[in-house]
Amino acid sequence: MDIAVLWLLITAALVLFMTPGLAFFYGGLVKSKSVISMMMLSFGSIGVVGVLWILFGFNQAYVDGSDADWIPRVLGNPFSDFGLQDAAKAAFAGEDGSGVVMASAIFGATFAIITVALVSGAIADRARFWPWMLFAALFATLVYFPVASWVFAFDATGDFTGWVNKLDETFGYSTGTIDFAGGTAVHINAGAAALALALVLGKRKVGFSKEEAQPHNVPLVLIGAAILWFGWFGFNGGAAIADGQVGLIFVNTMVCPAAALVGWIVVEHFKEGKPTAVGAASGIVAGLVAITPSCANLTPIWAIVLGLVAGAVCAFAIELKYKIGVDDTLDVVGIHLVAGVIGTLYLGFFAIDTGLFTGGNLEQLVVQAIPAFSIMAYSFIVAFILGTVIEKTIGFRAKEEDEIAGIDLVLHGEGYAI
């Protein structure tokens, strides 16, 4: 078996496991009467996004971005091989390279699934299941799949062809954008969409305060964080092409979240008087998000600094929702959007050989900022429109009495109304 195929399949399995881990993480943070509903939003994403990715998402996301026609350049080409029929026949016939194509399809599917699932944390305790499934399908098709083509699309030679990776050629910069594992396509994308949905659905009837927002199961949160960290080695390492590169990625994927954990609980200690287990778990996730775009392009020292910064900043950022009145229930914006932006822009200062302070190159910061803020704006606008249309037509939000009584029993016929 081709070692590249084997590596992609192993890391794909790790990344797929991250979505159940996210369900545990999110499920432990909510009230006991909505834990099943919360976890079902993640598992529902596996179903709908996994199917759509195989039908047309893979082709839409990995289309050759050098196509002269602006439509496939922006939206991809979803019907180039519908249902992977041609790819499957090539794999069955044992054609050269067919194994890598199929393994890449599975690896990419896991990224699409968890990106959509991440968004659900912003609307916990009040979102209906079937409207969420509709949103997940539309968001994947109109936002994640095209954005993935901007960041990850490649041609037959393996060269990246999406516009994000062509900024140096387009504008004559001396260096190109770095986003090794999806800081823009996954975390900034999901965080911006989460902000949009939080605005569309509005605040919860009960639970929107620091006193009321206590997690019902802290051990479940820690289990979820542990699974996410474990799977993230596949998330960051799956695209590695050399032993040295994957070694560096694994070191950074270990040390940055560790430092972020420390950064978060130090802030907690001075703010609240004590460090919390939920804070430690949240710090881990903030560090994982921050290192995603930069895992192959930082020395471990600068990865540690990134973790400390991301953990500390996100510990403050999650408090903003109470000041501005935006009910981002599980802090998708405060962690994924904020840490995603930090990790993406940080490369502009400290990327090996090309950052401002490591290579004297200001242009690295410029080519990091353009896709970060472009994808943020695109995701927010489309998600806001989709969420608004769904809410105004079939209704996205659960009834007030159902929110208060417990949406697990109302929506799924399971769980406890406590």
Side-chain angles (χ1 to χ4, degrees):
M1 179 182 290
D2 187 331
I3 189 65
V5 173
L6 180 60
W7 179 243
L8 279 173
L9 293 176
I10 291 171
T11 52
L14 289 173
V15 181
L16 180 60
F17 191 39
M18 289 172 66
T19 299
L22 179 70
F24 291 146
F25 183 78
Y26 280 173
L29 288 170
V30 297
K31 299 298 184 184
S32 58
K33 62 185 179 182
S34 60
V35 59
I36 293 172
S37 170
M38 185 69 257
M39 297 181 78
M40 276 293 288
L41 299 184
S42 288
F43 278 89
S45 300
I46 295 176
V48 67
V49 180
V51 170
L52 293 180
W53 178 265
I54 298 303
L55 288 178
F56 58 82
F58 175 68
N59 295 292
Q60 186 176 353
Y62 287 87
V63 66
D64 183 351
S66 63
D67 194 304
D69 190 343
W70 73 269
I71 294 178
R73 283 178 67 88
V74 174
L75 297 178
N77 188 0
F79 302 110
S80 58
D81 183 15
F82 189 76
L84 300 181
Q85 292 294 304
D86 295 338
K89 292 175 182 177
F92 180 77
E95 295 181 12
D96 290 343
S98 60
V100 173
V101 172
M102 299 304 283
S104 297
I106 294 301
F107 185 67
T110 62
F111 275 63
I113 288 165
I114 197 166
T115 301
V116 176
L118 285 171
V119 179
S120 67
I123 53 175
D125 294 330
R126 61 201 188 281
R128 295 169 58 220
F129 180 71
W130 287 115
W132 162 256
M133 292 288 276
L134 176 59
F135 174 84
L138 294 172
F139 180 78
T141 301
L142 298 176
V143 180
Y144 180 78
F145 298 166
V147 169
S149 76
W150 304 347
V151 179
F152 300 131
F154 57 88
D155 60 20
T157 67
D159 292 332
F160 288 110
T161 57
W163 70 260
V164 168
N165 293 288
K166 293 294 183 179
L167 290 175
D168 51 340
E169 297 180 12
T170 302
F171 297 106
Y173 294 126
S174 60
T175 186
T177 303
I178 301 170
D179 185 2
F180 190 85
T184 56
V186 177
H187 299 293
I188 292 176
N189 193 0
L195 176 60
L197 283 194
L199 290 171
V200 171
L201 268 66
K203 291 188 286 188
R204 287 165 287 175
K205 298 301 180 184
V206 292
F208 184 57
S209 70
K210 290 182 67 174
E211 294 71 28
E212 294 176 300
Q214 297 302 311
H216 93 281
N217 192 324
V218 174
L220 196 62
V221 176
L222 294 175
I223 290 171
I227 294 172
L228 285 170
W229 200 348
F230 175 70
W232 224 291
F233 287 101
F235 192 93
N236 285 348
I241 57 176
D243 292 345
Q245 187 182 49
V246 75
L248 175 61
I249 290 169
F250 269 53
V251 168
N252 286 342
T253 304
M254 188 282 291
V255 76
C256 184
L261 183 158
V262 174
W264 190 297
I265 61 175
V266 167
V267 169
E268 270 194 331
H269 175 78
F270 286 102
K271 283 178 56 186
E272 311 294 341
K274 58 181 72 71
T276 68
V278 170
S282 299
I284 289 169
V285 175
L288 290 167
V289 171
I291 199 62
T292 295
S294 54
C295 57
N297 296 85
L298 291 179
T299 62
I301 292 295
W302 289 120
I304 291 171
V305 175
L306 172 60
L308 292 171
V309 170
V313 171
C314 289
F316 284 106
I318 63 169
E319 301 290 329
L320 292 176
K321 66 182 182 183
Y322 300 114
K323 296 180 179 180
I324 63 177
V326 177
D327 192 0
D328 170 25
T329 315
L330 303 183
D331 301 313
V332 185
V333 179
I335 295 177
H336 290 272
L337 180 58
V338 172
V341 170
I342 290 172
T344 300
L345 299 184
Y346 188 85
L347 284 158
F349 299 100
F350 301 110
I352 295 175
D353 293 338
T354 61
L356 179 61
F357 299 134
T358 52
N361 189 356
L362 180 60
E363 291 182 352
Q364 187 67 67
L365 180 60
V366 175
V367 296
Q368 296 303 118
I370 291 173
F373 293 107
S374 297
I375 290 170
M376 184 191 306
Y378 178 75
S379 178
F380 177 86
I381 292 169
V382 178
F384 188 87
I385 293 171
L386 291 175
T388 300
V389 171
I390 293 172
E391 172 65 13
K392 298 297 184 182
T393 53
I394 63 174
F396 207 144
R397 182 167 177 161
K399 298 177 182 178
E400 179 177 345
E401 58 269 26
D402 295 339
E403 288 184 43
I404 296 172
I407 58 176
D408 281 355
L409 285 172
V410 174
L411 299 181
H412 300 289
E414 300 167 312
Y416 303 92
I418 297 176

